[in-house]
């Protein structure tokens, strides 16, 4: 089974289309939340995702706020402006669909689970080893895929720590830097926390859209990057009257 990993699309239709075109054959998609917010195409992105063969999906913090399920208190001014614009732009049908997205984590099978932030808190960020350890301790499956930070990363928990639950060591074997492909081989007895990056708003100084592919037969995760028409996405953001900074940051991947 080949799963296409889509996270943090953030209403960036150009980045999503480039990702889908570059991804090649896959069986089903796993969607890790934040379909909307920041970008100018919330409805087109939702329509596109709704048409995909999706095995599992969770909501992100921007989806929650845009759908009116959570307040804007945790957002900075730019995120607030963007989410308010998004809520007003959503069709009634897409608003209802967004508000019905499942809260993570969602367990897919015996090996894989997905979440937006962490398994223990959908809104928590995994930035360092300690965050990753907490997340891995709360994971119900050996391969936990997450998003939210917009930064690709791989955390591996190796035995005996994984088995005994004592003095665990996290080995950060990523992020993949500027290579277009980065392979993670899933070893038996190990636990993995993997972020394949953000499609619509990368923040690792690489402006290319970040996505992933999980091959359950080969036991591997591939983290990939693809160029897209950044200028088209920027033009739409500016034309929509969204904060200019949201257009600028796409070009630098920050
Ligand atoms: Zn996000």
């Amino acid at each position: 089974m080949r799963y296409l990993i889509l996270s943090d699309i953030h209403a960036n239709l150009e980045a999503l289309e480039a990702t889908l075109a570059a991804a090649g054959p896959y069986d089903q998609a796993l969607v890790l939340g934040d379909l909307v917010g920041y970008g100018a195409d919330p409805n087109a992105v939702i329509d596109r995702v709704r048409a995909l063969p999706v095995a599992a999906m969770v909501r992100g913090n921007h989806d929650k706020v845009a759908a009116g399920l959570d307040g804007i208190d945790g957002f900075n001014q730019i995120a607030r402006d963007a989410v308010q614009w998004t809520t007003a732009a959503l069709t009634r049908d897409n608003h209802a669909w967004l508000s019905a997205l499942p809260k993570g984590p969602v367990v897919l099978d015996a090996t894989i689970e997905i979440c937006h932030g962490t398994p223990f808190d959908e809104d928590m960020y995994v930035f360092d080893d300690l965050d990753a350890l907490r997340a891995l301790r709360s994971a119900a499956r050996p391969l936990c895929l997450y998003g939210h930070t917009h930064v690709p990363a791989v955390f591996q928990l190796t035995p005996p720590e994984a088995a005994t639950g004592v003095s665990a060591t996290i080995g950060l074997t990523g992020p993949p830097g500027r290579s277009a492909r980065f392979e993670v081989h899933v070893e038996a007895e190990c636990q993995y926390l993997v972020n394949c990056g953000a499609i619509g708003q990368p923040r690792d100084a690489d402006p290319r859209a970040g996505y992933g592919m999980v091959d359950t037969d080969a036991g591997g995760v591939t983290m990939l990057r693809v160029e897209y028409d950044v200028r088209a996405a920027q033009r739409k953001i500016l034309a929509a009257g969204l904060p200019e900074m949201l257009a600028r940051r796409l070009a630098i991947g920050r």
Side-chain angles (χ1 to χ4, degrees), residues 1 18 25-27 30 35 42 46 60-61 68-69 75 80 84 111 141 143 150 154 191 199 211 216 219 233 235 250:
M1 193 74 140
Y26 66 94
D27 297 298
L30 304 176
L35 281 79
I46 291 174
N61 50 319
L69 300 173
F75 280 12
R80 285 180 187 203
Q84 283 165 346
T111 308
R141 293 294 182 269
L143 176 57
H150 299 204
V154 180
Q191 254 189 290
I199 289 173
Y211 67 104
T216 56
R235 277 196 299 273
L250 293 182

Side-chain angles (χ1 to χ4, degrees), residues 20-74:
L20 295 172
Y26 66 94
D27 297 298
Q28 287 183 295
L30 304 176
V31 183
L32 311 190
D34 276 1
L35 281 79
V36 302
Y38 301 138
D41 276 313
N43 288 303
V45 161
I46 291 174
D47 290 343
R48 193 74 172 95
V49 170
R50 289 177 75 168
L52 296 175
V54 172
M57 183 147 38
V58 294
R59 67 188 186 186
N61 50 319
H62 287 258
D63 304 324
K64 258 195 307 187
V65 177
L69 300 173
D70 205 355
I72 56 172
D73 293 353

